[in-house]
Amino acid sequence: MALIVQKYGGSSVADADSIKRVAKRIAEAKRAGDEVVVVVSAMGDTTDELIDLAQQMTPLPPSREMDILLTAGERISMSLLAMAISSLGVEAQSFTGQQAGVITDEVHGRARIIDVTPGRIQAAVDSGAVAIVAGFQGVTQHTNDVTTLGRGGSDTTAVALAAALEADVCEIYTDVDGVFTADPRIVPSARKIDRISYDEMLEMAASGAKVLMLRCVEYARRYGVPVHVRSSFSTHTGTLVTDAPDEEGAPMEQPIIAGVAHDRSEAKITIVDVPDVPGKAARIFEVVAGAGVNLDMIVQNVSVASTGRTDISFTLPASDGAAATAALTEHQPDIGFTSLQYDDTIGKLSLIGAGMKSHPGVSAKLFAALSDAGINIEMISTSEIRISVVTRADQLDEAVRAVHTAFELDSADEQAVVYGGTGR
Amino acid sequence: MALIVQKYGGSSVADADSIKRVAKRIAEAKRAGDEVVVVVSAMGDTTDELIDLAQQMTPLPPSREMDILLTAGERISMSLLAMAISSLGVEAQSFTGQQAGVITDEVHGRARIIDVTPGRIQAAVDSGAVAIVAGFQGVTQHTNDVTTLGRGGSDTTAVALAAALEADVCEIYTDVDGVFTADPRIVPSARKIDRISYDEMLEMAASGAKVLMLRCVEYARRYGVPVHVRSSFSTHTGTLVTDAPDEEGAPMEQPIIAGVAHDRSEAKITIVDVPDVPGKAARIFEVVAGAGVNLDMIVQNVSVASTGRTDISFTLPASDGAAATAALTEHQPDIGFTSLQYDDTIGKLSLIGAGMKSHPGVSAKLFAALSDAGINIEMISTSEIRISVVTRADQLDEAVRAVHTAFELDSADEQAVVYGGTGR
């Protein structure tokens, strides 16, 4: 008998019929003999509708009130799901983040979990019931106020509960069959990855793969929680994220390359004609950091000897573009640059694989593949298990396909059915 | 500086614009120098929509889950209201029933308040903020589970909080201008009552006046909370429910008659040819009580000497008609009656006034008025400050008008504007 934590996102519980379908899955898992704890998000568009209502009240709602408002969404989905499971003859009880013991700091809107004390959940499971827990929410330690965990919050709730309950596995149900070697909407021949290490999954998430949020993977790695990413629209085995040996006891199978991720959400700022003297680059990044912006890749051109000046480029989330540009322009006099170029028509491709550590020539092969496809590389950055390049945005899809093929990631057959969606 | 508890029902916060209108009222009260605690219901049709969703899951949802579901409604309205007030520059914080210290028993769906410990509300008020509290909900003492208070729950929350905070007044905002001498939809010349005693208001509520629920008036009487029933669509003074002397220090003005209430929600059961022997009536009412049904009025005809049998009639809520009929039919053999007649085309008129205790002739005048209007009286019951009669349902409106006129309750002018509704 295993203890399984299952997490269902908003698209899996979008309407009454979806909730009933999910309830059946849960009841089946329970009847098969497992102990089941379920984490659930708000139904489909509920959160957007609530945000819209708040915007009608005031453009800048107080964050404490916003959290109270948004957490109503999970109360609705969790109680409906408990009802649907009960109607199948399986006992189910729903619990708020507070009742489930999800304790957070006091940063409303993007609180971090500081402790999980799931006494009531354990008691419900011990009594033979399915415990349904509201995702995305917690409660502050001292003031007993409701908080939300921000983006990816429900996945994080599920992994945190799995860690606290010492669950055998945390199943993240989504509308795709698992983690793929590339986004199947761009690369129809992308393959589902059966097993992937935490480190590789972290790099995939950080590089734009949207199936799991970075934060949730970090939590899973820290506590060694095996995460099974799978579809709520099929019964296929999905992708297991773990560092554990496989069933034959062999250490994790480690192909050279795990997959190709892409990201369209970044922009590039080029600062033109910066005096090439010590301390100028530091000053620039100080100014940008002061605006609360996180940089990603950075390139400094070779200085032009005749002028003693150089250009510095960096990438950042496009959503931070305005803040960074404003801060830099304000400090133009003391930094002393000539002009500033903002470009949000870039794309980032990342090749990820723990195996590349011990295999030389991966970068060379990557650059050759892009060159053969006629794609220009604008920036490059690397980690031990990742190489990222910036291209023009309109060449990104072609770049992903070329690299995917060059590293022999293509499946023999194109995936017949990849995306779930309603009934698919 | 007074401490005021204000309660706004679902029709007062039906949509974004209504919430903003209510927010303005609250901000004005706060700016006028009062301390304000607000109790709010779910927006307009929210509760019905949530019930409908639950019904799609299962015809008999577990009551614990139903309560979690329904309380989402107040979370939404209370946080939106707090946002709207904040946007007017007045600090506001919202609190769940649990955070407000509303402790109840464990009867989900119709929990009773057993204690109110409003420490956080008092602290919020002391800090200068408006405290917004979710109506209709509480939390169990030992298990920390969410409960709902059932019908009239938000009014009761407001009065209970006012009692615990020792507020100066509890203002119940509704869509009418106050308590009227009769329902103005039936009697256009009905007058708004300026002051009414708890006892009279109790009899009015028990006799079908819908503006305040019986339970809320009972609570207010027990703790001596002055209740001001008024419209959220106007600034008129409404009806003050209190036993306190008026501002000149005189004891409460006590006209003979406070008003005429009516009720269409009852039905009449007549049990035909019951053996007129001791214990038979007791047995009948035992059977009915065993089915969980509360009786209202009871009439036993004079026994027919030749047969030794009699008829017994009683009224009950029409919603309990099926249960009572089934229970009686099941026990027909041991009670020994011939047949059973069920009649839900009756109406009940009640004349209420503390003054009638010391004024003889009130009943005579009532019967004369009905007789003059050609209306037959089928049953009669009385208390110290109330006389109720049952008539045919289709004669009830005419009866209410006749009695209202006979006791000189008609206003000189017909009320120009009585009902609020949206913008009216």
Side-chain angles (χ1 to χ4, degrees):
Chain A
M1 188 172 67
L3 172 56
I4 301 175
V5 174
Q6 299 187 334
K7 180 261 171 178
Y8 294 92
S11 63
S12 300
V13 292
D15 52 31
D17 286 340
S18 305
I19 293 175
K20 288 198 231 177
R21 196 172 43 73
V22 165
K24 254 184 215 163
R25 270 196 103 101
I26 295 167
E28 277 162 21
K30 177 75 184 156
R31 288 215 177 93
D34 289 325
E35 295 178 326
V36 185
V37 173
V38 176
V39 173
V40 70
S41 303
M43 292 168 73
D45 302 327
T46 306
T47 303
D48 289 340
E49 286 165 16
L50 293 174
I51 290 172
D52 181 56
L53 272 172
Q55 291 294 331
Q56 289 181 53
M57 294 302 125
T58 168
L60 282 174
S63 58
R64 177 184 180 276
E65 300 302 326
M66 198 67 194
D67 277 358
I68 294 170
L69 179 69
L70 293 184
T71 51
E74 281 81 24
R75 276 176 108 84
I76 295 172
S77 57
M78 78 186 200
S79 51
L80 291 174
L81 184 55
M83 291 173 193
I85 296 171
S86 299
S87 80
L88 299 173
V90 172
E91 209 201 320
Q93 288 184 5
S94 69
F95 300 93
T96 61
Q98 176 175 27
Q99 291 171 336
V102 180
I103 316 290
T104 74
D105 61 21
E106 304 188 359
V107 184
H108 286 287
R110 49 191 173 87
R112 296 197 73 89
I113 296 175
I114 53 182
D115 198 9
V116 181
T117 54
R120 287 196 72 177
I121 305 304
Q122 188 67 60
V125 167
D126 290 347
S127 79
V130 172
I132 316 286
V133 178
F136 180 66
Q137 60 179 252
V139 65
T140 59
Q141 196 155 21
H142 302 298
T143 60
N144 240 9
D145 276 322
V146 176
T147 51
T148 63
L149 306 182
R151 285 192 64 195
S154 290
D155 288 0
T156 307
T157 303
V159 170
L161 262 177
L165 293 165
E166 298 179 6
D168 296 280
V169 64
C170 178
E171 298 182 339
I172 305 283
Y173 284 89
T174 177
D175 54 3
V176 293
D177 271 341
V179 183
F180 280 74
T181 52
D183 186 335
R185 282 170 297 196
I186 294 176
V187 184
S189 60
R191 283 185 295 111
K192 190 191 74 195
I193 301 170
D194 291 331
R195 290 168 74 91
I196 188 171
S197 69
Y198 294 119
D199 283 343
E200 287 170 317
M201 193 63 233
L202 273 182
E203 293 280 9
M204 293 282 278
S207 304
K210 295 193 178 58
V211 64
L212 276 185
M213 293 293 292
L214 188 58
R215 183 176 175 189
C216 149
V217 185
E218 281 172 343
Y219 208 109
R221 180 172 64 165
R222 189 175 323 137
Y223 292 93
V225 177
V227 175
H228 184 180
V229 182
R230 58 193 304 190
S231 169
S232 70
F233 297 92
S234 80
T235 55
H236 303 156
T237 302
T239 300
L240 190 63
V241 186
T242 179
D243 283 339
D246 70 12
E247 281 166 18
E248 282 77 44
M252 235 184 106
E253 152 201 31
Q254 202 73 276
I256 299 175
I257 299 301
V260 185
H262 72 279
D263 191 349
R264 283 178 216 284
S265 69
E266 299 207 337
K268 181 171 75 168
I269 288 180
T270 301
I271 306 175
V272 179
D273 259 3
V274 182
D276 192 9
V277 295
K280 279 298 170 189
R283 180 78 192 114
I284 287 171
F285 301 129
E286 209 175 83
V287 165
V288 174
V293 175
N294 282 320
L295 301 190
D296 183 17
M297 297 160 74
I298 301 168
V299 169
Q300 178 169 349
N301 286 355
V302 176
S303 176
V304 179
S306 59
T307 62
R309 299 179 87 88
T310 187
D311 296 346
I312 294 180
S313 298
F314 58 86
T315 62
L316 73 173
S319 54
D320 288 338
T325 307
L328 285 166
T329 306
E330 189 190 336
H331 290 86
Q332 183 165 7
D334 57 293
I335 300 172
F337 60 88
T338 310
S339 65
L340 186 152
Q341 292 165 359
Y342 181 77
D343 177 1
D344 60 3
T345 58
I346 63 165
K348 186 172 78 169
L349 175 153
S350 300
L351 186 68
I352 290 132
M356 70 171 71
K357 277 193 284 197
S358 48
H359 283 74
V362 170
S363 333
K365 191 169 178 179
L366 170 69
F367 300 152
L370 291 171
S371 165
D372 289 349
I375 291 159
N376 190 40
I377 300 173
E378 302 186 12
M379 297 170 86
I380 301 169
S381 79
T382 60
S383 81
E384 277 221 307
I385 63 167
R386 175 184 53 79
I387 308 171
S388 298
V389 298
V390 166
T391 70
R392 287 291 86 205
D394 58 8
Q395 290 191 306
L396 184 61
D397 288 1
E398 182 53 34
V400 170
R401 281 190 288 265
V403 172
H404 197 266
T405 301
F407 283 90
E408 293 165 22
L409 294 170
D410 293 345
S411 143
D413 309 309
E414 294 199 358
Q415 300 280 316
V417 177
V418 169
Y419 272 79
T422 311
R424 278 188 295 164
Chain B
M1 187 172 72
L3 171 57
I4 301 176
V5 174
Q6 298 187 334
K7 180 259 171 180
Y8 294 92
S11 63
S12 300
V13 292
D15 52 31
D17 286 341
S18 306
I19 293 175
K20 287 197 231 179
R21 196 171 44 71
V22 164
K24 255 185 216 161
R25 271 197 103 102
I26 295 167
E28 277 160 21
K30 176 75 186 156
R31 288 215 176 92
D34 289 325
E35 296 179 325
V36 186
V37 173
V38 176
V39 173
V40 69
S41 302
M43 293 168 72
D45 302 326
T46 307
T47 302
D48 289 340
E49 287 165 14
L50 292 174
I51 291 173
D52 181 55
L53 272 172
Q55 292 293 332
Q56 289 181 53
M57 294 301 124
T58 167
L60 282 173
S63 57
R64 177 184 179 279
E65 300 302 326
M66 199 66 194
D67 277 358
I68 293 171
L69 180 68
L70 294 184
T71 51
E74 281 81 23
R75 277 177 106 84
I76 295 172
S77 58
M78 75 185 202
S79 52
L80 290 175
L81 184 55
M83 290 175 193
I85 296 170
S86 298
S87 79
L88 300 172
V90 172
E91 209 201 319
Q93 288 184 5
S94 69
F95 299 94
T96 61
Q98 176 176 25
Q99 291 172 336
V102 180
I103 316 290
T104 74
D105 62 20
E106 305 189 358
V107 185
H108 286 287
R110 47 189 175 86
R112 296 199 74 89
I113 295 175
I114 54 181
D115 197 10
V116 181
T117 53
R120 288 197 72 177
I121 306 305
Q122 188 67 59
V125 168
D126 290 347
S127 78
V130 172
I132 315 286
V133 178
F136 179 66
Q137 60 179 251
V139 65
T140 59
Q141 197 154 22
H142 302 298
T143 59
N144 240 9
D145 275 322
V146 176
T147 50
T148 63
L149 306 181
R151 284 193 66 194
S154 290
D155 288 0
T156 307
T157 302
V159 169
L161 261 178
L165 293 165
E166 297 178 9
D168 295 279
V169 64
C170 177
E171 297 181 340
I172 305 284
Y173 284 89
T174 176
D175 54 3
V176 293
D177 272 342
V179 182
F180 280 74
T181 51
D183 185 334
R185 283 170 297 196
I186 294 176
V187 185
S189 61
R191 285 184 294 110
K192 190 191 72 194
I193 301 170
D194 292 330
R195 290 168 73 91
I196 188 170
S197 69
Y198 294 120
D199 283 344
E200 287 170 317
M201 194 63 233
L202 273 181
E203 292 280 10
M204 291 283 275
S207 302
K210 295 193 175 60
V211 64
L212 276 185
M213 292 294 293
L214 189 57
R215 181 176 175 188
C216 150
V217 185
E218 281 171 343
Y219 208 108
R221 179 172 66 165
R222 188 174 326 135
Y223 291 94
V225 177
V227 175
H228 184 181
V229 181
R230 58 193 306 191
S231 169
S232 69
F233 298 92
S234 79
T235 55
H236 303 157
T237 302
T239 300
L240 190 64
V241 186
T242 180
D243 282 341
D246 68 14
E247 279 164 20
E248 281 76 46
M252 236 183 105
E253 150 203 31
Q254 202 72 275
I256 299 175
I257 299 300
V260 185
H262 72 278
D263 192 348
R264 284 179 215 283
S265 69
E266 298 205 338
K268 181 171 76 167
I269 288 180
T270 301
I271 306 176
V272 179
D273 260 3
V274 184
D276 192 10
V277 294
K280 280 298 171 190
R283 180 78 191 116
I284 287 171
F285 302 128
E286 210 174 83
V287 165
V288 174
V293 175
N294 283 320
L295 300 191
D296 181 17
M297 298 161 72
I298 301 168
V299 169
Q300 178 168 348
N301 286 355
V302 175
S303 177
V304 179
S306 59
T307 61
R309 299 178 87 87
T310 186
D311 297 344
I312 294 180
S313 297
F314 58 86
T315 63
L316 73 173
S319 55
D320 289 337
T325 308
L328 285 166
T329 305
E330 189 191 334
H331 290 87
Q332 182 164 5
D334 58 292
I335 301 171
F337 59 89
T338 310
S339 65
L340 184 152
Q341 292 166 358
Y342 181 76
D343 178 2
D344 59 4
T345 58
I346 62 166
K348 186 172 77 168
L349 175 153
S350 300
L351 186 68
I352 290 131
M356 70 172 70
K357 277 191 285 196
S358 49
H359 283 74
V362 171
S363 335
K365 192 168 177 181
L366 170 69
F367 301 151
L370 290 171
S371 167
D372 290 350
I375 291 158
N376 190 41
I377 299 174
E378 303 187 11
M379 298 169 86
I380 301 170
S381 79
T382 60
S383 80
E384 276 222 309
I385 63 168
R386 176 185 52 80
I387 308 172
S388 298
V389 299
V390 166
T391 70
R392 286 291 88 203
D394 59 8
Q395 291 192 305
L396 183 61
D397 288 2
E398 182 54 33
V400 170
R401 282 189 287 266
V403 172
H404 197 266
T405 302
F407 284 89
E408 294 163 23
L409 295 170
D410 292 345
S411 145
D413 309 308
E414 293 199 357
Q415 299 281 314
V417 177
V418 169
Y419 272 80
T422 310
R424 277 187 296 166

